[in-house]
Amino acid sequence: MKTKKTAFSPFANEADVLEVGNLMLENRVDRVTVSGDVDLTADRQGLAAARRLHEALGAIVAALERRELPDKLPPPQVKTVGNPFA
């Protein structure tokens, strides 16, 4: 099981990624994207992964509770740029 033990401050930047098994939590300033999967097995590794995931989700909830939140974020602005290799 792959568990990265780094500080993860939700909504702090556009770069941090926390990995728990094959589950990735990707930091953004306006969202945290969760993708992948993790097996929380009934053993010590599963317990360690569950604790790490619990810690990360707790930090996300705490960060959201400290903010003034809108009802819903607008969709992200998407820019189309020309192909620099064309």
Side-chain angles (χ1 to χ4, degrees):
M1 179 188 63
K2 188 176 180 181
T3 303
K4 203 174 199 179
K5 295 279 189 184
T6 60
F8 185 78
S9 297
F11 313 105
N13 58 51
E14 298 278 331
D16 291 344
V17 175
L18 175 70
E19 296 178 50
V20 180
N22 292 322
L23 189 73
M24 291 181 30
L25 288 83
E26 299 178 64
N27 214 7
R28 304 296 302 258
V29 295
D30 65 346
R31 68 193 73 227
V32 173
T33 301
V34 180
S35 60
D37 61 83
V38 62
D39 289 324
L40 301 175
T41 52
D43 56 16
R44 291 180 193 259
Q45 282 187 336
L47 176 59
R51 284 181 172 154
R52 189 67 181 127
L53 187 56
H54 182 263
E55 177 186 337
L57 292 175
I60 292 167
V61 169
L64 289 169
E65 289 176 338
R66 288 190 299 267
R67 293 178 167 211
E68 184 71 32
L69 298 172
D71 289 333
K72 184 173 178 164
L73 285 178
Q77 293 182 351
V78 178
K79 294 180 187 177
T80 303
V81 295
N83 183 349
F85 304 106

Coordinates of all heavy atoms in Angstrom, one line a residue:
M1 N 0.8 -1.2 0.0 CA 0.0 0.0 0.0 C 0.9 1.2 0.0 O 1.8 1.3 0.8 CB -0.9 0.0 1.2 CG -1.8 1.2 1.3 SD -2.6 1.4 2.9 CE -1.3 1.5 4.0
K2 N 0.5 2.2 -0.8 CA 1.3 3.4 -1.0 C 0.6 4.5 -0.2 O -0.5 4.9 -0.4 CB 1.3 3.8 -2.5 CG 2.2 4.9 -2.8 CD 2.2 5.0 -4.4 CE 3.0 6.1 -4.9 NZ 2.9 6.2 -6.3
T3 N 1.3 5.1 0.8 CA 0.7 6.1 1.6 C 1.8 7.2 1.7 O 2.8 7.0 2.2 CB 0.3 5.7 3.0 OG1 -0.6 4.6 2.9 CG2 -0.3 6.8 3.8
K4 N 1.5 8.4 1.2 CA 2.4 9.5 1.2 C 2.1 10.3 2.5 O 1.0 10.7 2.8 CB 2.1 10.4 0.0 CG 3.3 11.2 -0.4 CD 2.9 11.9 -1.7 CE 4.2 12.4 -2.4 NZ 3.9 13.0 -3.6
K5 N 3.2 10.5 3.3 CA 3.0 11.2 4.6 C 3.5 12.6 4.5 O 4.5 13.0 5.1 CB 3.9 10.4 5.7 CG 3.4 9.0 6.0 CD 2.2 9.1 6.9 CE 1.9 7.7 7.4 NZ 0.8 7.6 8.2
T6 N 2.8 13.4 3.8 CA 3.1 14.8 3.7 C 2.0 15.7 4.2 O 0.8 15.2 4.3 CB 3.4 15.2 2.2 OG1 2.2 15.0 1.5 CG2 4.6 14.5 1.7
A7 N 2.3 16.9 4.6 CA 1.2 17.8 5.0 C 0.3 18.1 3.8 O 0.8 18.4 2.8 CB 1.8 19.1 5.6
F8 N -1.0 18.1 4.1 CA -2.0 18.4 3.0 C -2.9 19.5 3.6 O -3.6 19.2 4.5 CB -2.8 17.1 2.6 CG -3.7 17.3 1.5 CD1 -3.2 17.4 0.2 CD2 -5.1 17.5 1.7 CE1 -4.1 17.5 -0.9 CE2 -5.9 17.6 0.7 CZ -5.5 17.7 -0.6
S9 N -2.8 20.7 3.1 CA -3.6 21.8 3.5 C -4.7 22.0 2.5 O -4.4 22.6 1.4 CB -2.8 23.1 3.7 OG -1.8 22.9 4.8
P10 N -5.9 21.6 2.7 CA -6.9 21.7 1.7 C -7.2 23.1 1.2 O -7.1 24.1 2.0 CB -8.2 21.2 2.4 CG -7.7 20.3 3.5 CD -6.4 20.9 3.9
F11 N -7.3 23.3 -0.1 CA -7.6 24.6 -0.7 C -6.5 25.6 -0.6 O -6.7 26.8 -0.8 CB -8.9 25.2 -0.1 CG -10.0 24.2 0.0 CD1 -10.4 23.7 1.2 CD2 -10.7 23.8 -1.2 CE1 -11.4 22.7 1.2 CE2 -11.7 22.9 -1.1 CZ -12.1 22.3 0.1
A12 N -5.3 25.2 -0.3 CA -4.1 26.1 0.0 C -3.3 26.4 -1.3 O -2.7 27.4 -1.3 CB -3.2 25.5 1.0
N13 N -3.4 25.5 -2.3 CA -2.6 25.8 -3.5 C -3.1 24.9 -4.6 O -4.1 24.2 -4.5 CB -1.1 25.5 -3.2 CG -0.9 24.1 -2.7 OD1 -1.4 23.1 -3.3 ND2 -0.2 23.9 -1.6
E14 N -2.4 25.0 -5.8 CA -2.8 24.2 -6.9 C -1.9 23.0 -7.2 O -1.8 22.6 -8.3 CB -2.9 25.1 -8.2 CG -3.8 26.3 -8.1 CD -5.3 25.9 -8.4 OE1 -5.4 25.0 -9.3 OE2 -6.2 26.5 -7.9
A15 N -1.2 22.6 -6.2 CA -0.1 21.6 -6.5 C -0.1 20.3 -5.6 O 0.3 19.3 -6.1 CB 1.2 22.3 -6.3
D16 N -0.6 20.4 -4.4 CA -0.5 19.3 -3.5 C -1.4 18.1 -3.9 O -2.5 18.3 -4.3 CB -0.9 19.6 -2.1 CG 0.1 20.6 -1.4 OD1 1.2 20.7 -1.9 OD2 -0.3 21.2 -0.4
V17 N -0.8 16.9 -3.8 CA -1.6 15.7 -4.1 C -1.3 14.7 -2.9 O -0.1 14.5 -2.5 CB -1.1 15.0 -5.4 CG1 -1.8 13.7 -5.6 CG2 -1.4 15.9 -6.6
L18 N -2.3 14.2 -2.3 CA -2.2 13.2 -1.2 C -2.6 11.9 -1.8 O -3.7 11.8 -2.4 CB -3.1 13.6 0.0 CG -3.1 12.6 1.1 CD1 -1.8 12.6 1.8 CD2 -4.2 13.0 2.1
E19 N -1.8 10.9 -1.6 CA -2.1 9.5 -2.1 C -2.4 8.6 -0.9 O -1.6 8.5 0.0 CB -1.0 9.0 -2.9 CG -0.8 9.7 -4.2 CD 0.4 9.2 -5.0 OE1 0.4 8.0 -5.3 OE2 1.3 10.0 -5.3
V20 N -3.5 7.9 -1.0 CA -3.8 6.8 0.0 C -4.2 5.6 -0.8 O -5.2 5.6 -1.5 CB -5.0 7.2 0.9 CG1 -5.3 6.1 1.9 CG2 -4.7 8.5 1.7
G21 N -3.3 4.6 -0.9 CA -3.5 3.5 -1.8 C -3.4 4.1 -3.2 O -2.5 4.8 -3.6
N22 N -4.4 3.8 -4.0 CA -4.5 4.3 -5.4 C -5.5 5.5 -5.4 O -5.9 5.9 -6.5 CB -4.9 3.3 -6.4 CG -3.8 2.2 -6.6 OD1 -2.7 2.6 -6.6 ND2 -4.2 1.0 -6.7
L23 N -5.9 6.0 -4.2 CA -6.8 7.1 -4.1 C -6.0 8.4 -4.1 O -5.0 8.5 -3.4 CB -7.6 7.0 -2.9 CG -8.8 8.0 -2.7 CD1 -9.9 7.6 -3.7 CD2 -9.3 8.0 -1.3
M24 N -6.4 9.4 -4.9 CA -5.6 10.6 -5.0 C -6.6 11.8 -4.6 O -7.7 11.8 -5.1 CB -5.1 10.9 -6.4 CG -3.9 9.9 -6.7 SD -3.2 10.2 -8.3 CE -3.4 11.9 -8.7
L25 N -6.1 12.6 -3.7 CA -6.8 13.9 -3.3 C -5.9 15.0 -3.9 O -4.8 15.2 -3.5 CB -6.9 14.0 -1.8 CG -7.9 13.1 -1.2 CD1 -7.3 11.7 -0.9 CD2 -8.4 13.7 0.1
E26 N -6.4 15.7 -4.9 CA -5.7 16.7 -5.6 C -6.2 18.1 -5.1 O -7.4 18.4 -5.2 CB -5.9 16.6 -7.1 CG -5.4 15.3 -7.6 CD -5.6 15.1 -9.1 OE1 -5.0 15.9 -9.9 OE2 -6.4 14.2 -9.5
N27 N -5.3 18.9 -4.7 CA -5.6 20.2 -4.1 C -5.8 21.2 -5.2 O -5.0 21.3 -6.2 CB -4.4 20.6 -3.2 CG -4.9 21.4 -2.0 OD1 -6.1 21.6 -1.7 ND2 -3.9 21.9 -1.2
R28 N -6.7 22.1 -5.0 CA -7.0 23.3 -5.8 C -7.3 24.4 -4.8 O -7.6 24.1 -3.7 CB -8.1 23.1 -6.8 CG -7.9 21.9 -7.7 CD -6.8 22.0 -8.7 NE -6.8 23.2 -9.5 CZ -7.2 23.2 -10.8 NH1 -7.5 22.2 -11.4 NH2 -7.2 24.4 -11.4
V29 N -7.4 25.6 -5.2 CA -7.7 26.7 -4.3 C -9.2 26.8 -4.1 O -9.7 27.3 -3.1 CB -7.2 28.1 -4.7 CG1 -5.7 28.1 -4.7 CG2 -7.7 28.5 -6.1
D30 N -10.0 26.2 -5.0 CA -11.5 26.2 -4.8 C -12.1 24.8 -4.8 O -13.4 24.7 -4.7 CB -12.1 27.0 -6.0 CG -11.9 26.3 -7.3 OD1 -11.1 25.4 -7.5 OD2 -12.6 26.7 -8.3
R31 N -11.3 23.8 -4.8 CA -11.9 22.4 -4.7 C -10.8 21.4 -4.4 O -9.6 21.7 -4.6 CB -12.6 22.0 -6.0 CG -11.7 21.9 -7.2 CD -12.5 21.8 -8.5 NE -12.9 23.2 -8.8 CZ -14.2 23.5 -9.2 NH1 -15.1 22.5 -9.4 NH2 -14.5 24.7 -9.4
V32 N -11.2 20.3 -3.9 CA -10.3 19.1 -3.8 C -10.9 18.0 -4.6 O -12.1 17.7 -4.4 CB -10.1 18.7 -2.3 CG1 -9.4 17.4 -2.2 CG2 -9.5 19.8 -1.5
T33 N -10.2 17.5 -5.5 CA -10.6 16.4 -6.4 C -10.2 15.1 -5.9 O -9.0 14.9 -5.6 CB -10.1 16.6 -7.8 OG1 -10.6 17.9 -8.3 CG2 -10.6 15.5 -8.8
V34 N -11.1 14.2 -5.7 CA -10.8 12.8 -5.2 C -11.1 11.8 -6.3 O -12.1 11.8 -7.0 CB -11.7 12.4 -4.0 CG1 -11.4 11.1 -3.5 CG2 -11.6 13.5 -2.9
S35 N -10.0 11.1 -6.6 CA -10.2 10.1 -7.7 C -9.4 8.8 -7.4 O -8.5 8.9 -6.6 CB -9.7 10.7 -9.1 OG -8.3 11.0 -8.9
G36 N -9.8 7.7 -8.0 CA -9.0 6.5 -7.8 C -9.8 5.6 -6.8 O -11.0 5.7 -6.6
D37 N -9.0 4.7 -6.2 CA -9.7 3.7 -5.3 C -8.6 3.3 -4.2 O -7.4 3.5 -4.4 CB -10.2 2.5 -6.0 CG -9.1 1.7 -6.7 OD1 -8.5 0.9 -6.0 OD2 -8.9 1.9 -7.9
V38 N -9.2 2.9 -3.1 CA -8.4 2.3 -2.1 C -9.2 1.2 -1.4 O -10.4 1.3 -1.2 CB -7.9 3.4 -1.0 CG1 -9.1 4.0 -0.4 CG2 -7.0 2.8 0.0
D39 N -8.5 0.1 -1.1 CA -9.1 -1.0 -0.3 C -8.8 -0.8 1.1 O -7.6 -0.8 1.5 CB -8.6 -2.4 -0.8 CG -9.1 -2.7 -2.2 OD1 -10.3 -2.4 -2.5 OD2 -8.3 -3.4 -2.9
L40 N -9.8 -0.6 1.9 CA -9.6 -0.5 3.4 C -9.8 -1.9 4.0 O -10.9 -2.3 4.3 CB -10.6 0.5 4.0 CG -10.5 2.0 3.4 CD1 -11.6 2.8 3.9 CD2 -9.1 2.6 3.6
T41 N -8.7 -2.6 4.0 CA -8.8 -4.0 4.4 C -8.8 -4.1 5.9 O -8.3 -3.2 6.6 CB -7.5 -4.7 3.8 OG1 -6.3 -4.0 4.1 CG2 -7.6 -4.8 2.3
A42 N -9.2 -5.3 6.4 CA -9.3 -5.5 7.8 C -8.0 -6.0 8.3 O -7.8 -7.1 8.8 CB -10.4 -6.5 8.1
D43 N -7.0 -5.2 8.2 CA -5.6 -5.5 8.7 C -4.9 -4.2 9.1 O -5.6 -3.1 9.0 CB -4.8 -6.3 7.7 CG -4.7 -5.6 6.3 OD1 -5.0 -4.4 6.2 OD2 -4.3 -6.3 5.4
R44 N -3.7 -4.2 9.5 CA -3.0 -3.0 9.9 C -2.8 -2.0 8.8 O -2.9 -0.8 9.0 CB -1.6 -3.4 10.5 CG -1.7 -4.1 11.8 CD -0.4 -4.4 12.4 NE -0.5 -5.4 13.5 CZ -0.4 -5.0 14.8 NH1 -0.2 -3.7 15.1 NH2 -0.5 -5.9 15.7
Q45 N -2.6 -2.5 7.6 CA -2.4 -1.6 6.4 C -3.8 -0.9 6.2 O -3.8 0.3 5.9 CB -2.0 -2.4 5.2 CG -0.5 -2.7 5.1 CD -0.1 -3.3 3.8 OE1 -1.0 -3.8 3.1 NE2 1.1 -3.1 3.5
G46 N -4.9 -1.6 6.2 CA -6.2 -1.0 6.0 C -6.5 0.0 7.1 O -7.0 1.1 6.8
L47 N -6.1 -0.3 8.3 CA -6.3 0.7 9.4 C -5.5 1.9 9.2 O -6.0 3.1 9.3 CB -6.0 0.0 10.8 CG -6.0 1.0 12.0 CD1 -7.4 1.6 12.1 CD2 -5.6 0.2 13.2
A48 N -4.3 1.8 8.8 CA -3.4 2.9 8.5 C -4.0 3.8 7.3 O -4.0 5.0 7.4 CB -2.0 2.5 8.1
A49 N -4.5 3.1 6.3 CA -5.1 3.9 5.2 C -6.3 4.6 5.6 O -6.6 5.7 5.3 CB -5.3 2.9 4.0
A50 N -7.2 3.9 6.4 CA -8.4 4.5 6.9 C -8.1 5.7 7.8 O -8.8 6.7 7.7 CB -9.2 3.5 7.7
R51 N -7.1 5.6 8.6 CA -6.7 6.8 9.5 C -6.3 7.9 8.6 O -6.6 9.1 8.9 CB -5.7 6.3 10.5 CG -6.2 5.5 11.6 CD -5.1 5.2 12.6 NE -5.7 4.5 13.8 CZ -5.0 3.7 14.5 NH1 -3.8 3.4 14.2 NH2 -5.6 3.1 15.6
R52 N -5.5 7.7 7.6 CA -4.9 8.7 6.7 C -6.1 9.4 6.0 O -6.1 10.6 5.9 CB -3.9 8.2 5.8 CG -3.1 9.2 5.0 CD -2.3 10.0 5.9 NE -1.6 11.0 5.2 CZ -1.6 12.3 5.5 NH1 -2.2 12.8 6.5 NH2 -0.9 13.2 4.7
L53 N -7.0 8.6 5.5 CA -8.1 9.1 4.8 C -9.0 9.9 5.7 O -9.5 11.0 5.4 CB -8.9 8.0 4.1 CG -10.0 8.4 3.2 CD1 -9.5 9.3 2.0 CD2 -10.6 7.1 2.6
H54 N -9.3 9.4 6.9 CA -10.1 10.1 7.9 C -9.4 11.5 8.3 O -10.1 12.5 8.4 CB -10.2 9.2 9.1 CG -11.0 9.8 10.2 ND1 -10.5 10.5 11.3 CD2 -12.3 9.8 10.4 CE1 -11.4 10.9 12.1 NE2 -12.6 10.5 11.6
E55 N -8.1 11.5 8.4 CA -7.4 12.7 8.7 C -7.6 13.8 7.6 O -7.8 14.9 7.8 CB -5.9 12.4 8.9 CG -5.1 13.6 9.2 CD -3.6 13.3 9.3 OE1 -3.2 12.1 9.5 OE2 -2.8 14.2 9.0
A56 N -7.4 13.3 6.4 CA -7.5 14.2 5.2 C -8.9 14.7 5.1 O -9.1 16.0 4.9 CB -7.1 13.5 3.9
L57 N -9.9 13.9 5.2 CA -11.3 14.3 5.1 C -11.7 15.3 6.2 O -12.4 16.3 6.0 CB -12.3 13.2 5.0 CG -12.1 12.3 3.7 CD1 -13.0 11.1 3.8 CD2 -12.5 13.2 2.5
G58 N -11.2 15.0 7.4 CA -11.4 15.9 8.5 C -10.8 17.3 8.3 O -11.4 18.3 8.6
A59 N -9.6 17.3 7.7 CA -9.0 18.6 7.4 C -9.8 19.4 6.3 O -9.9 20.6 6.4 CB -7.6 18.4 6.9
I60 N -10.4 18.6 5.3 CA -11.2 19.3 4.3 C -12.4 19.9 4.9 O -12.8 21.0 4.7 CB -11.5 18.3 3.2 CG1 -10.2 17.9 2.4 CG2 -12.6 18.8 2.3 CD1 -10.4 16.7 1.5
V61 N -13.1 19.1 5.8 CA -14.3 19.6 6.4 C -14.0 20.8 7.3 O -14.7 21.8 7.2 CB -15.0 18.5 7.3 CG1 -16.1 19.0 8.1 CG2 -15.6 17.4 6.3
A62 N -13.0 20.7 8.1 CA -12.6 21.9 8.9 C -12.3 23.1 8.1 O -12.7 24.2 8.5 CB -11.4 21.5 9.8
A63 N -11.6 23.0 7.0 CA -11.2 24.1 6.1 C -12.5 24.7 5.5 O -12.6 25.9 5.4 CB -10.3 23.7 5.0
L64 N -13.5 23.9 5.1 CA -14.7 24.4 4.6 C -15.5 25.1 5.7 O -16.2 26.1 5.4 CB -15.5 23.2 4.0 CG -15.0 22.7 2.7 CD1 -15.7 21.4 2.3 CD2 -15.1 23.7 1.6
E65 N -15.5 24.6 6.9 CA -16.3 25.2 8.0 C -15.8 26.5 8.4 O -16.5 27.4 8.9 CB -16.4 24.2 9.2 CG -17.2 23.0 8.9 CD -17.2 22.0 10.1 OE1 -16.3 22.0 10.9 OE2 -18.2 21.2 10.2
R66 N -14.5 26.8 8.1 CA -13.9 28.1 8.5 C -14.2 29.2 7.4 O -13.9 30.3 7.6 CB -12.4 27.9 8.6 CG -11.9 27.2 9.8 CD -10.4 27.3 10.0 NE -9.6 26.8 8.9 CZ -9.2 25.5 8.9 NH1 -9.5 24.7 9.9 NH2 -8.5 25.1 7.9
R67 N -14.7 28.8 6.3 CA -15.0 29.7 5.2 C -16.4 30.2 5.1 O -17.3 29.5 5.5 CB -14.6 29.1 3.8 CG -13.2 28.8 3.7 CD -13.0 28.1 2.3 NE -11.6 28.0 2.0 CZ -11.1 28.0 0.8 NH1 -11.9 28.1 -0.2 NH2 -9.8 28.0 0.6
E68 N -16.6 31.4 4.5 CA -17.9 31.8 4.1 C -18.1 31.2 2.7 O -17.4 31.4 1.7 CB -17.9 33.3 3.9 CG -19.2 33.9 3.6 CD -20.2 33.8 4.7 OE1 -19.8 33.9 5.9 OE2 -21.4 33.6 4.4
L69 N -19.1 30.3 2.6 CA -19.3 29.5 1.4 C -20.5 30.0 0.6 O -21.5 30.3 1.1 CB -19.5 28.0 1.7 CG -18.3 27.4 2.4 CD1 -18.7 26.0 2.9 CD2 -17.1 27.3 1.5
P70 N -20.3 30.0 -0.8 CA -21.5 30.3 -1.6 C -22.3 29.0 -1.7 O -21.9 27.9 -1.3 CB -20.8 30.5 -3.0 CG -19.6 29.7 -3.0 CD -19.1 29.8 -1.5
D71 N -23.6 29.1 -2.2 CA -24.4 28.0 -2.3 C -23.8 27.0 -3.3 O -23.9 25.8 -3.1 CB -25.8 28.4 -2.8 CG -26.6 29.1 -1.7 OD1 -26.3 28.9 -0.5 OD2 -27.5 29.9 -2.1
K72 N -23.2 27.5 -4.4 CA -22.6 26.6 -5.4 C -21.6 27.5 -6.1 O -21.8 28.6 -6.5 CB -23.7 26.1 -6.3 CG -23.1 25.2 -7.4 CD -24.2 24.5 -8.2 CE -23.5 23.6 -9.2 NZ -24.4 22.7 -9.8
L73 N -20.4 26.8 -6.4 CA -19.4 27.5 -7.2 C -19.8 27.6 -8.7 O -20.4 26.6 -9.2 CB -18.1 26.7 -7.2 CG -17.2 26.8 -5.9 CD1 -16.0 26.0 -6.0 CD2 -16.8 28.3 -5.6
P74 N -19.4 28.6 -9.4 CA -19.7 28.6 -10.8 C -18.7 27.6 -11.5 O -17.7 27.3 -10.9 CB -19.3 30.1 -11.3 CG -18.4 30.6 -10.2 CD -18.8 29.9 -8.9
P75 N -19.1 27.2 -12.7 CA -18.2 26.2 -13.4 C -16.8 26.9 -13.7 O -16.8 28.1 -13.8 CB -18.9 25.9 -14.7 CG -20.0 26.8 -14.8 CD -20.2 27.5 -13.5
P76 N -15.7 26.2 -13.7 CA -14.4 26.8 -14.0 C -14.4 27.4 -15.4 O -15.0 26.8 -16.3 CB -13.5 25.6 -13.8 CG -14.3 24.4 -13.9 CD -15.7 24.7 -13.5
Q77 N -13.6 28.4 -15.5 CA -13.5 29.0 -16.9 C -12.5 28.2 -17.6 O -11.4 27.8 -17.2 CB -13.0 30.5 -16.7 CG -13.9 31.4 -16.1 CD -13.4 32.8 -16.1 OE1 -12.2 33.1 -16.3 NE2 -14.3 33.8 -15.7
V78 N -12.9 27.9 -18.9 CA -12.0 27.0 -19.7 C -11.6 27.9 -20.9 O -12.4 28.5 -21.6 CB -12.8 25.8 -20.2 CG1 -11.9 24.9 -21.1 CG2 -13.2 25.0 -19.0
K79 N -10.3 27.9 -21.1 CA -9.7 28.7 -22.3 C -9.3 27.7 -23.3 O -8.7 26.6 -23.0 CB -8.5 29.5 -21.9 CG -8.9 30.6 -20.9 CD -7.6 31.4 -20.6 CE -7.8 32.4 -19.5 NZ -6.6 33.1 -19.1
T80 N -9.5 28.0 -24.6 CA -9.0 27.3 -25.7 C -7.8 28.0 -26.3 O -7.9 29.2 -26.6 CB -10.1 27.1 -26.8 OG1 -11.2 26.4 -26.2 CG2 -9.6 26.2 -27.9
V81 N -6.7 27.3 -26.4 CA -5.5 27.9 -26.9 C -5.1 27.1 -28.2 O -5.4 25.9 -28.4 CB -4.3 27.9 -25.9 CG1 -4.6 28.8 -24.7 CG2 -4.0 26.5 -25.5
G82 N -4.4 27.8 -29.1 CA -3.9 27.1 -30.3 C -2.9 26.1 -30.0 O -2.2 26.2 -29.0
N83 N -2.8 25.1 -30.8 CA -1.8 24.0 -30.7 C -0.4 24.6 -31.0 O -0.1 25.0 -32.1 CB -2.2 22.9 -31.6 CG -1.2 21.7 -31.4 OD1 -0.2 21.8 -30.8 ND2 -1.6 20.6 -32.0
P84 N 0.5 24.6 -30.0 CA 1.8 25.2 -30.3 C 2.7 24.3 -31.1 O 3.7 24.7 -31.6 CB 2.4 25.3 -28.8 CG 1.7 24.3 -28.0 CD 0.3 24.2 -28.6
F85 N 2.2 23.0 -31.4 CA 3.0 22.1 -32.1 C 2.5 21.9 -33.6 O 3.0 21.2 -34.3 CB 3.0 20.7 -31.4 CG 3.5 20.7 -30.1 CD1 2.6 20.6 -29.0 CD2 4.9 20.9 -29.8 CE1 3.1 20.7 -27.7 CE2 5.3 21.0 -28.5 CZ 4.5 20.9 -27.4
A86 N 1.4 22.7 -33.9 CA 0.9 22.6 -35.2 C 1.7 23.4 -36.2 O 2.3 24.3 -36.0 CB -0.6 23.1 -35.2

